[in-house]
């Protein structure tokens, strides 16, 4: 492991500080590419205009026409948190804008698989639908869209995933990553794309005289769901995404949120008035995702759609219970998968350049989480496979992968598919996360092929885990109120939360937790005593060590003290 301090452009930091930004925040922002204070303006007026999205005007006209004719609209969602929030935003937003017949359908992870398939299209048609709208999927659904069109449906695809070699023949496609789209933010989540479609639809309805600027419905309340889905999908928080998230957080902190979001905060034991992006990514998001992993994502979507507090509390409690079950399944799978991964190399050897593991007892709903855990520990692109539970698909293995910086996972799968035709039955995804299906007899071929691509693409520097930090923390900023200030800001993928690094003196250390798998540390930081915790770490540290750490506040009997959350150590 190598701990590296980010470059902090002095002129940018100075300019931000001169513009009134707190000195510590000025330094942090400058290190993340912010050059001027106006880039930190999170007002709605600073959002990129919808007109920049290719196909959005066509989508708006089609939806406005359908609403004028009282046609039946059915949204086909994805079964993760981005898909669930995008579906809820679509249903709520269309109804706000006057649509009378809006329904939704979410595929089952096991029996249906991902995206708009031909069978899903037929099920939509059976609901007497006129218009099919995809959210967070559809860009790769060539066969599904063709079937929907053959059944007489109008198809509007809204997605953010990377397209394949052939685009579906939809009536409209809105995706910042489709060929020819010049929209500046390529990192919008599926929920963000759907929100933008609603903005364009409202403008179209305004142009048709349905309402004017004074009487048009407000879409701002949907931003709480946009923020949740954006963070939970771990998309890059570029300036536009940060504005969407900041607007959602402001509303939640002010108590303005759907009943289901409030209930999820309660179920997770988190406090909405001081909500953070961490709550989205590690508390609310996993509870919604759990429904799609182990049960039916309809539970998650209904929780986000209900306006009844009692019903919301009931659904949030159910989701919390499913999430606890998910954690139990994941724990056993993670230990087994880690043993399998570590058996691929000797203790004194480096891990192979890419890791693929499969066990017949693995649960396909949590393979992605387990892949992420192995990737985090071994710093290698990792795929974890489970046998498909779908009827008639017992010979197929469904895999989910997570990658490291410098290794584009979807592109790697594409190369494997070209070199070994027929091994990948289907695949898709992003640079850092992807999924695929292989025949059980082809697992060994896939494992070797992926490792070969990784061997070619990755060098020693890329295979060395690096923790980028913001350098030393001045002792005057080691205060609980400063931690609150940092937590209030929007951090996430591509706009990393503050992490500091310093050589410290270890005073004492002991293992804590039910399984004794966390290291509790007392240390001296620039002459001041500080408590620290390193979750999931059991090895003792030397008396002096370079630590990378984030800041948190530990509350005990009314006293609030800063504690360090250790991210890594360079020995």
């Amino acid at each position: 492991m190598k701990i590296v301090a980010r470059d902090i452009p002095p002129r940018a930091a100075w300019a931000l500080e001169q513009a009134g930004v707190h000195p510590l925040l000025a330094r942090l922002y400058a290190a993340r590419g912010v050059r001027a204070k106006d880039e930190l303006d999170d007002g709605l007026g600073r959002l990129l205009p919808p007109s920049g999205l290719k196909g959005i005007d066509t989508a708006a006209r089609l939806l406005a026409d359908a609403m004028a004719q009282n046609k039946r609209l059915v949204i086909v969602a994805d079964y993760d948190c981005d898909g669930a929030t995008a579906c809820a935003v679509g249903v709520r937003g269309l109804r706000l804008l006057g649509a009378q017949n809006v329904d939704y359908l979410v595929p089952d992870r096991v029996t249906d698989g991902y995206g708009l398939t031909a069978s899903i299209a037929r099920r939509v048609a059976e609901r007497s639908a006129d218009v099919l709208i995809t959210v967070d999927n559809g860009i790769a659904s060539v066969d599904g869209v063709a079937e929907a069109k053959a059944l007489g449906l109008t198809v509007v695809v809204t997605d953010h995933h990377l397209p394949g070699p052939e685009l579906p023949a939809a009536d409209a496609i809105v995706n910042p990553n489709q060929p020819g789209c010049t929209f500046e933010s390529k990192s919008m989540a599926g929920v963000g794309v759907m929100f933008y479609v609603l903005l364009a639809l409202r403008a179209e309805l305004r142009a048709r005289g349905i309402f004017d600027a004074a009487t048009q419905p407000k879409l701002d309340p949907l931003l709480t769901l946009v923020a949740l889905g954006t963070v939970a999908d771990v998309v890059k928080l570029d300036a536009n995404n940060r504005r969407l998230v900041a607007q959602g957080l402001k509303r939640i902190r002010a108590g303005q949120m759907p009943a289901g979001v409030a209930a999820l905060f309660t179920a997770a034991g988190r406090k909405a008035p001081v909500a953070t992006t961490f709550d989205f990514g590690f508390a609310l998001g996993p509870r919604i995702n759990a429904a799609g992993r182990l049960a039916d994502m309809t539970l998650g979507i209904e929780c986000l759609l209900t306006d009844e507090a009692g019903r919301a509390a009931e659904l949030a409690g159910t989701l919390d219970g499913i999430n606890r079950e998910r954690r139990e399944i994941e724990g056993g799978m993670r230990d087994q998968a880690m043993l399998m991964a570590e058996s691929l190399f000797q203790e004194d050897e480096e891990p192979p350049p890419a890791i693929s593991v499969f066990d017949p007892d693995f649960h396909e709903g949590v393979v992605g989480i387990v892949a992420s855990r192995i990737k985090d520990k071994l710093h290698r692109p990792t795929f974890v496979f489970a046998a498909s539970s779908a009827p008639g698909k017992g010979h197929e293995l469904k895999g989910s992968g997570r990658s490291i910086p410098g290794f584009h996972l979807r592109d790697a799968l594409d190369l494997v598919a070209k070199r070994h035709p027929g091994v990948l039955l289907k695949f898709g995804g992003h640079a850092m996360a992807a999924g695929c299906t292989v025949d059980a007899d082809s697992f060994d071929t896939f494992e070797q092929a992926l490792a070969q691509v990784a061997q070619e693409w990755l060098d020693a520097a890329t295979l060395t885990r690096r923790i980028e930090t913001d350098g030393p923390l001045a002792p005057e900023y080691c205060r609980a109120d400063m931690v609150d200030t940092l937590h209030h800001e929007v951090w996430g993928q591509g706009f990393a939360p503050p992490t500091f690094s310093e050589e410290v003196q270890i005073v004492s250390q002991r293992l804590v937790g039910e399984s004794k798998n966390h290291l509790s540390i007392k240390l001296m930081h620039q002459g001041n005593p500080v408590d620290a915790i390193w979750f999931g770490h059991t090895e003792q540290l030397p008396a002096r060590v370079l630590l990378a750490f984030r800041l948190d506040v530990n509350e005990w009997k009314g006293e609030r003290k800063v504690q360090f959350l250790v991210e890594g150590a360079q020995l």
Side-chain angles (χ1 to χ4, degrees), residues 83-301:
T85 51
C87 182
V89 163
V91 172
R92 284 182 173 275
L94 288 167
R95 288 174 180 168
L96 274 172
L97 294 173
Q100 298 298 310
N101 293 303
V102 186
D103 196 4
Y104 72 90
L105 186 155
V106 58
D108 182 272
R109 180 187 291 267
V110 173
T111 58
D112 297 314
Y114 170 76
L116 174 62
T117 61
S119 61
I120 291 290
R122 289 190 288 272
R123 279 161 58 188
V124 170
E126 288 166 5
R127 295 192 179 190
S128 302
D130 300 297
V131 180
L132 188 160
I133 306 163
T134 72
V135 292
D136 193 31
N137 75 93
I139 196 66
S141 302
V142 175
D143 294 342
V145 170
E147 180 69 8
K149 292 297 298 174
L151 293 167
L153 294 167
T154 297
V155 181
V156 176
V157 167
T158 78
D159 200 355
H160 69 123
H161 293 92
L162 298 173
E166 180 184 357
L167 291 180
D171 295 277
I173 298 176
V174 186
N175 180 340
N177 290 303
Q178 68 175 305
C181 184
T182 58
F183 193 70
E184 188 179 326
S185 175
K186 301 295 183 183
S187 302
M188 267 205 304
V191 66
V193 176
M194 187 62 219
F195 179 72
Y196 263 72
V197 169
L198 293 171
L199 291 176
L201 173 58
R202 185 176 65 177
E204 175 68 20
L205 294 173
R206 202 167 55 235
R208 296 184 182 199
I210 306 299
F211 34 67
D212 58 28
T215 61
Q216 67 181 7
K218 288 188 176 296
L219 297 175
D220 307 12
L222 301 175
L223 286 163
T224 56
L225 299 174
V226 176
L228 170 57
T230 298
V231 174
D233 211 44
V234 203
V235 294
K236 180 183 178 183
L237 292 188
D238 58 21
N240 206 60
N241 279 339
R242 289 202 309 277
R243 290 183 182 111
L244 291 170
V245 173
Q247 287 291 330
L249 277 173
K250 284 180 180 179
R251 283 161 176 77
I252 288 173
R253 289 167 183 163
Q256 302 164 4
M257 70 196 102
V261 173
L264 285 167
F265 268 96
T266 301
R270 311 297 295 182
K271 299 174 181 176
V274 288
T276 67
T277 50
F278 182 90
D279 295 323
F280 291 156
F282 295 93
L284 276 67
R287 282 164 173 78
I288 295 172
N289 275 326
R293 295 185 187 282
L294 301 186
D296 179 0
M297 184 46 93
T298 302
L299 291 167
I301 295 172

Side-chain angles (χ1 to χ4, degrees), residues 277 316 369 411 515:
T277 50
I369 304 175
D411 287 356
S515 305

Side-chain angles (χ1 to χ4, degrees), residues 465-486:
R465 187 184 174 208
R466 290 161 50 97
I467 298 182
E468 285 195 330
T469 78
D470 297 291
L473 175 70
E476 63 263 29
Y477 298 141
C478 198
R479 311 188 313 265
D481 66 315
M482 194 67 235
V483 179
D484 293 341
T485 297
L486 293 178

Side-chain angles (χ1 to χ4, degrees), residues 531 552-556 559-563:
D531 291 339
D552 198 16
V553 174
N554 190 23
E555 297 190 33
W556 178 252
E559 185 180 4
R560 305 177 78 239
K561 292 175 61 177
V562 172
Q563 76 169 353

